[in-house]
Amino acid sequence: MKKRIEDLTVTQNRRLGEGFFVINASSSQGLPDILPGQFVQVLVTDSPATFLRRPLSVHDVDMSTGTISLLVQIAGAGTERLSRLNPGEKINIIYPLGNSFTLPLKGERVLLVGGGCGMAPLLYLGRKIREAGIEPAFALGFRNRSRILDHDELTKLGEVFLATEDGSEGYRGFVTDLPQFRDKDWDRVYCCGPEPMMKAVAAACLRRGIFCEVSLENLMACGIGVCLCCIVPTTSGNLCSCTDGPVFNIRDLKWQISG
Amino acid sequence: MADLRIKIGTLEFRNPVMTASGTFGYGSEFDDFFDVSALGGIIVKGTTLESREGNPYPRMAETPAGMLNSVGLQNKGIDYFEKNIYPRIRQYDTHIIVNVNGNTVEDYTELSRRLNALDAIPAIELNISCPNVKKGGMIFGTNPAAAREVIAAVRQAYSRTLIVKLSPNVTDITEFARISEGEGADSVSLINTLVGMAIDVRAMKPRLAAITGGLSGPAIRPVALRMVWQAAKAVSIPVIGMGGIMNADDALEFIMAGATAVQVGTASFIEPLAALDVVKGIDSSLDSRGFASVSDVTGIINR
C-alpha cells in the first residue's frame, strides 16, 4: 500500500471525555485503502515545544466522505495543540502506516478489549469485523466513571461490557476480571490499552489458548521504519513497531508473562 | 538551473545533498514519497560485520528542537546487506554510500574490504563517532592515536572514496580533521550527534534505557556549523557538513561556512521530502541571487 503525505482539512473536533478528543479530517482526493490497526503521523504546527510528528491510531474511516477520525489523548504540548484544532484548519499527515489486525473468520466469537486511549483502533476494527458478518463484543476498562469515554459508536456494532477500577460504573475491577471476559470461550481477542492491561489480557489468552493480537503504542520518531527507535523485542529479534507492527500476535512478543 | 555538481575525491555528485546515516534507512523506505535518485547521495544505515540488536527500548526522547537517540547500531550485518539489500538498492541512480562501524581496527578493515568488492558502492563513510556503543565507535573518534590507526588501516583496505565521520565530542575538531587528511581520507563528514541525556522528572528515571544518547536536530546546528567552519579552514580535503539541517537555508549556512556538501538527517523523520526540498531550495536560492554554481558560495564567508 502506497504511503502518502497529505494536507487534510479538519471537519470536526469533538470532545469524547476528560482530556480525549476525536478529530475528523477529510481528504480532497479521496482516502487510500486503510486497514484496521493502521496509524498516521500528524505534523503539529504552532507548538514550539513539539519537534516530532505524533503517531495516532486510525479511530474510524468513512470512505464515502473521505474522512478519517483520530482519537487523541492530551499527553503533552503536541496533543494539546491538536485538541485545539478548529474545523477548516489543515493537518499534514503521513499515512497509512503500519500493519493491521488479522480479521476473524466467519462464526468466530470475537472480543475487542480496550482501555482509555486504547479504544482508538477498536472502533474501525469493530466496523470491519461487523462488515465481515461477525458481531464483535467489546470490553472496556476505565479508572472510574468520570474517565469513561463516549462509546456510543461501539454500542452500534456490538455488545459493550464496562469495568471501572472503583466500580463507579459497570463491573468493579479490571477488564480481565469481567465475567464476560473470564467465562466465555472467545476465539479471538484484540486488545489495545495501557501496557499492564495488555499484558494481563495477553497472559489470560495465552493460558486459555486464545488467539490474541495487541496494538502497541511505542515511542517513535519517523513512523516509516528508518529511525529504529520504536523497537519491540520479538521471537524474530528487535522489530519496528511502526512497520512490523503496531499490531503483534502475543505469541511473537517477548513479554515476561506466563500462560 | 544552477550547476549543483560537486566532487568528493574523484567522485562526482549531481548535487551536494546527501542523507545522513541512520535517518534514511536504505533509501527504499522513501520510494513512496519521491525518486531518491534526485539526491546527491544516500548514506545507508550504520553497518557492522555481524548482526546487532542495538540498545534496549526506550531509545528515543524528544527534546527542545531536537531528539536524543540511543539506537546503538542495530543492523543485520554485512552478509545480510550483501544478499538482501545491495541487489535491491544498487539500481538507484545516485551514490549509495555505506556507513562502516566496528569494535576493533580489524572489524573496520574487514568490513571495508568486503565493501570494496561491491562495485555499486562508490564510497564508504568510516564512522568513528557513534556515541551509543560501548566498544569501538566514538572511542576511535575521540582518541587521536586510535583515530590515526583505524583510518590508516582502512585506507590500506579500501581503494575507493573514503569519508571519515567525525565526533563533535572532542575539544578540538580540527585535530581529527587533520588526522583524517593525513592518513589519506578523501573527505570528512561532521558532526555526528552530541552526547546528551534527559530525565523523566515524574518517573524519576532517565528517558533513555541507555541513559545517554546522541542529540540531533536544529538544537545542535550552531555547534555543528562552528565545527564545520573550523574543519573546513583546517584541511584541504572536502568537508561534508551536517547537524540540524531542516531546509535549504540551513544547508547554505554550512556551504557558506566551507562545506562542499551537506547531509540531511533528523529532518527526514518529520518531513520525508526534506532532503529533496533542500536540493530544490539550494537551486532556486542560487538562481534567484545570480550564482551560476554552488561552488560560487562554498566557503564564501572565509574569502
Side-chain angles (χ1 to χ4, degrees):
Chain A
M1 205 174 317
K2 201 172 162 153
K3 298 185 263 293
R4 277 189 203 170
I5 308 170
E6 189 181 352
D7 283 328
L8 302 188
T9 306
V10 174
T11 54
Q12 192 187 48
N13 188 354
R14 184 167 66 95
R15 189 178 175 277
L16 209 62
E18 188 60 48
F20 287 86
F21 292 80
V22 172
I23 296 164
N24 289 355
S26 70
S27 164
S28 57
Q29 50 177 301
L31 295 173
D33 279 336
I34 299 172
L35 303 171
Q38 288 193 301
F39 69 99
V40 308
Q41 277 274 54
V42 184
L43 188 69
V44 183
T45 53
D46 306 314
S47 173
T50 310
F51 180 61
L52 299 167
R53 286 177 185 257
R54 291 292 179 267
L56 297 173
S57 285
V58 173
H59 183 50
D60 205 0
V61 175
D62 183 347
M63 291 303 279
S64 65
T65 58
T67 304
I68 189 168
S69 303
L70 306 169
L71 195 158
V72 185
Q73 176 178 20
I74 298 179
T79 43
E80 198 278 331
R81 168 68 189 105
L82 295 177
S83 76
R84 287 187 287 107
L85 282 169
N86 291 311
E89 282 191 76
K90 300 278 188 205
I91 48 167
N92 182 270
I93 68 169
I94 306 175
Y95 77 125
L97 302 173
N99 67 352
S100 63
F101 291 104
T102 314
L103 288 181
L105 307 171
K106 272 247 156 54
E108 288 187 321
R109 288 152 300 185
V110 178
L111 182 68
L112 280 60
V113 182
C117 204
M119 229 174 74
L122 301 187
L123 175 58
Y124 187 48
L125 173 63
R127 200 179 291 292
K128 285 295 184 187
I129 290 173
R130 190 66 197 252
E131 279 172 19
I134 297 161
E135 186 178 321
F138 299 88
L140 304 178
F142 298 99
R143 197 169 301 154
N144 55 52
R145 181 186 208 130
S146 70
R147 302 294 292 260
I148 292 176
L149 301 183
D150 176 356
H151 51 275
D152 285 355
E153 290 299 315
L154 299 183
T155 316
K156 292 176 193 165
L157 299 171
E159 207 175 347
V160 176
F161 311 115
L162 280 185
T164 54
E165 289 173 34
D166 65 355
S168 53
E169 182 94 32
Y171 193 83
R172 181 183 183 139
F174 296 113
V175 275
T176 39
D177 300 323
L178 277 164
Q180 292 91 344
F181 175 78
R182 280 198 332 246
D183 304 336
K184 192 164 172 185
D185 281 331
W186 299 103
D187 295 303
R188 284 178 198 249
V189 168
Y190 303 94
C191 181
C192 184
E195 195 169 296
M197 189 192 93
M198 289 195 288
K199 284 185 170 168
V201 170
C205 288
L206 267 186
R207 191 170 61 242
R208 292 158 61 188
I210 301 171
F211 172 100
C212 178
E213 284 179 340
V214 293
S215 174
L216 306 184
E217 293 187 314
N218 282 14
L219 277 175
M220 59 181 69
C222 71
I224 55 174
V226 298
C227 74
L228 308 187
C229 290
C230 64
I231 51 115
V232 180
T234 71
T235 52
S236 331
N238 283 340
L239 297 180
C240 281
S241 175
C242 66
T243 48
D244 298 299
V247 178
F248 290 91
N249 190 302
I250 55 167
R251 293 182 184 283
D252 299 329
L253 294 174
K254 284 190 155 174
W255 277 355
Q256 300 302 312
I257 49 173
S258 48
Chain B
M1 280 290 281
D3 183 356
L4 298 184
R5 288 171 303 170
I6 57 115
K7 269 176 114 175
I8 304 285
T10 55
L11 194 60
E12 188 173 289
F13 292 71
R14 71 161 52 88
N15 64 58
V17 182
M18 309 176 205
T19 55
S21 179
T23 64
F24 209 70
Y26 296 97
S28 46
E29 292 87 343
F30 290 77
D31 283 347
D32 281 357
F33 305 120
F34 71 104
D35 176 8
V36 299
S37 295
L39 301 173
I42 295 171
I43 321 284
V44 303
K45 174 70 194 158
T47 301
T48 50
L49 277 177
E50 75 291 357
S51 169
R52 288 196 189 181
E53 287 291 328
N55 287 320
Y57 179 89
R59 293 176 171 184
M60 191 277 287
E62 187 179 38
T63 56
M67 58 175 275
L68 291 162
N69 88 80
S70 57
V71 172
L73 294 175
Q74 179 179 331
N75 81 101
K76 291 185 171 162
I78 185 64
D79 289 344
Y80 185 91
F81 175 81
E82 250 182 53
K83 266 190 224 99
N84 301 290
I85 298 168
Y86 178 65
R88 170 159 63 84
I89 63 176
R90 61 170 300 162
Q91 87 281 357
Y92 285 134
D93 183 22
T94 184
H95 295 316
I96 304 291
I97 297 169
V98 177
N99 180 279
V100 168
N101 296 270
N103 292 341
T104 63
V105 172
E106 291 69 33
D107 288 351
Y108 278 104
T109 51
E110 171 62 15
L111 183 52
S112 303
R113 211 172 279 123
R114 295 276 299 270
L115 290 164
N116 209 28
L118 304 182
D119 55 320
I121 306 292
I124 59 171
E125 183 178 61
L126 186 66
N127 188 356
I128 55 168
S129 44
C130 178
N132 293 322
V133 288
K134 288 201 183 74
K135 284 194 257 172
M138 205 171 78
I139 293 162
F140 288 103
T142 54
N143 176 316
R148 195 171 282 120
E149 187 190 356
V150 72
I151 299 165
V154 168
R155 182 69 286 178
Q156 286 289 312
Y158 190 77
S159 64
R160 287 197 282 266
T161 302
L162 173 61
I163 303 162
V164 178
K165 187 167 183 178
L166 301 181
S167 171
N169 303 296
V170 295
T171 309
D172 179 10
I173 193 78
T174 64
E175 182 180 14
F176 291 88
R178 283 196 199 92
I179 289 170
S180 303
E181 182 177 43
E183 297 304 329
D186 297 294
S187 171
V188 287
S189 59
L190 62 150
I191 60 174
N192 204 321
T193 53
L194 283 151
V195 179
M197 63 187 282
I199 291 171
D200 180 337
V201 169
R202 270 208 292 182
M204 298 193 280
K205 282 199 308 212
R207 287 171 65 193
L208 300 173
I211 304 177
T212 63
L215 180 64
S216 65
I220 69 168
R221 196 169 62 236
V223 176
L225 187 64
R226 182 264 298 173
M227 288 188 164
V228 165
W229 171 70
Q230 289 177 315
K233 287 192 301 171
V235 295
S236 51
I237 53 174
V239 171
I240 303 170
M242 78 190 98
I245 294 176
M246 302 298 282
N247 55 46
D249 272 2
D250 297 346
L252 283 166
E253 278 199 86
F254 283 87
I255 291 168
M256 290 178 181
T260 298
V262 295
Q263 291 180 14
V264 175
T266 303
S268 297
F269 295 161
I270 298 148
E271 176 47 74
L273 301 177
L276 180 68
D277 289 343
V278 170
V279 176
K280 291 179 182 165
I282 290 175
D283 189 30
S284 61
S285 181
L286 293 173
D287 275 354
S288 69
R289 295 151 84 180
F291 290 107
S293 74
V294 66
S295 56
D296 291 346
V297 297
T298 306
I300 199 163
I301 68 155
N302 304 321
R303 289 175 198 167

